[in-house]
Amino acid sequence: PPAEILHQGRDAVFTYFRRVRNGQKCRALVLIDMKLEVLELNWANLTVLTDLELSGNKIRALPETILQLTNLVILKAAGNNLERMFDAENISDLSNLTRLALKENHITAVEPNIGDLVKLKDLDLSCNRISQIAPQIERCTNIKKLELQQNQLDHIPRNVFRILELLDFNVSNNNLRGLPTAICYCQSILELRMSHNQIETIPNDIGNLIALELLDVSSNLLRALPPSIKHCERLKHLELS
């Protein structure tokens, strides 16, 4: 086991090996809150994994060796010390991922390799330091839930709104002053959260979002909503204050 596990004593070592063995049998490996700093697993023995949970450690990087987990469907590594989503430039070997949760890290950008995750449905990058989103995110056409709240974004590229399956979009607590008009053509959106930004206006054609049920634009600099908002007939929850 890694040195940080050895330093925790016999019980931690037994727990570590038990979880790794269970992962080989059950296709799910859970290594939560084990003070891991480096992933030094024999990935070749874990290629059956479909679910990997690494949250609450001190991991600084997801190494290229993780690409051996080609059956992985769910990857959660929240609450670590990641500065990048992945170390590898090409992550197409992880194209079976449908859920990726990397919240509460130190990630600064959504890099171009995000476009390799073509089956992704749920992406949680909240509570990071993200200021840039690569246009390749538009290749993730199956994303339904995208969480980017509590980052450092001052704009959202229009490419995000080419994800026509998007249902739930959260960009609260950023540095946004507005949204691109392209959002008005992402008619699948049900929930749109943009609170605690510096938004002064929202696109005039916001009424095109005919499926919209929740709109939160509270704690911004808005003076009024566009008249077209009346066309959002399914809107049940509107937060303005």
Side-chain angles (χ1 to χ4, degrees):
E4 53 266 35
I5 297 295
L6 289 173
H7 292 158
Q8 294 175 57
R10 185 178 64 179
D11 290 345
V13 172
F14 285 157
T15 298
Y16 178 82
F17 278 120
R18 184 175 67 251
R19 291 181 179 179
V20 171
R21 284 198 302 270
N22 286 342
Q24 292 171 334
K25 296 177 182 178
C26 305
R27 300 192 175 191
L29 176 57
V30 180
L31 297 173
I32 299 176
D33 297 327
M34 300 198 74
K35 301 181 181 179
L36 293 170
E37 295 182 10
V38 179
L39 290 177
E40 297 178 334
L41 291 165
N42 186 348
W43 300 110
N45 293 332
L46 295 167
T47 55
V48 298
L49 285 180
T50 60
D51 189 338
L52 179 59
E53 169 67 273
L54 301 168
S55 297
N57 286 288
K58 299 178 180 180
I59 299 167
R60 294 186 291 271
L62 295 177
E64 288 196 32
T65 49
I66 204 173
L67 299 179
Q68 296 177 58
L69 305 182
T70 55
N71 292 305
L72 207 59
V73 175
I74 298 173
L75 173 57
K76 293 183 280 187
N80 279 282
N81 295 324
L82 300 176
E83 295 184 358
R84 299 180 66 188
M85 293 176 65
F86 295 94
D87 265 9
E89 299 300 326
N90 186 322
I91 56 174
S92 57
D93 287 338
L94 298 179
S95 62
N96 284 315
L97 275 179
T98 63
R99 185 180 182 193
L100 179 60
L102 302 178
K103 67 180 181 179
E104 296 171 355
N105 279 284
H106 310 305
I107 298 167
T108 58
V110 180
E111 298 182 48
N113 57 6
I114 189 66
D116 294 332
L117 305 181
V118 294
K119 295 183 181 179
L120 205 57
K121 295 182 179 180
D122 185 339
L123 178 57
D124 187 353
L125 296 172
S126 59
C127 305
N128 276 284
R129 301 172 182 174
I130 295 170
S131 60
Q132 297 180 6
I133 301 174
Q136 287 82 353
I137 196 171
E138 68 181 39
R139 293 174 55 194
C140 303
T141 56
N142 293 296
I143 291 181
K144 298 184 182 300
K145 187 172 185 178
L146 179 54
E147 297 185 78
L148 292 165
Q149 65 269 30
Q150 295 189 44
N151 276 287
Q152 298 175 13
L153 293 163
D154 60 16
H155 74 285
I156 304 294
R158 65 180 63 189
N159 309 78
V160 169
F161 303 113
R162 291 175 182 157
I163 304 172
L164 299 181
E165 298 292 322
L166 189 60
L167 301 177
D168 188 340
F169 184 49
N170 193 336
V171 285
S172 298
N173 294 92
N174 277 280
N175 301 316
L176 300 175
R177 294 187 178 276
L179 289 174
T181 56
I183 192 175
C184 300
Y185 303 101
C186 193
Q187 296 186 353
S188 60
I189 291 182
L190 299 177
E191 298 186 3
L192 179 56
R193 295 175 173 85
M194 304 182 292
S195 68
H196 296 88
N197 280 283
Q198 301 173 45
I199 297 172
E200 298 179 1
T201 61
I202 57 178
N204 288 329
D205 291 332
I206 194 73
N208 288 350
L209 303 183
I210 55 176
L212 193 63
E213 296 180 355
L214 182 150
L215 176 61
D216 186 353
V217 290
S218 59
S219 299
N220 277 288
L221 304 176
L222 285 170
R223 294 184 178 180
L225 293 175
S228 69
I229 193 72
K230 65 184 179 183
H231 298 304
C232 299
E233 296 181 355
R234 298 184 183 180
L235 192 60
K236 300 175 182 176
H237 305 283
L238 177 60
E239 297 289 340
L240 297 172
S241 58

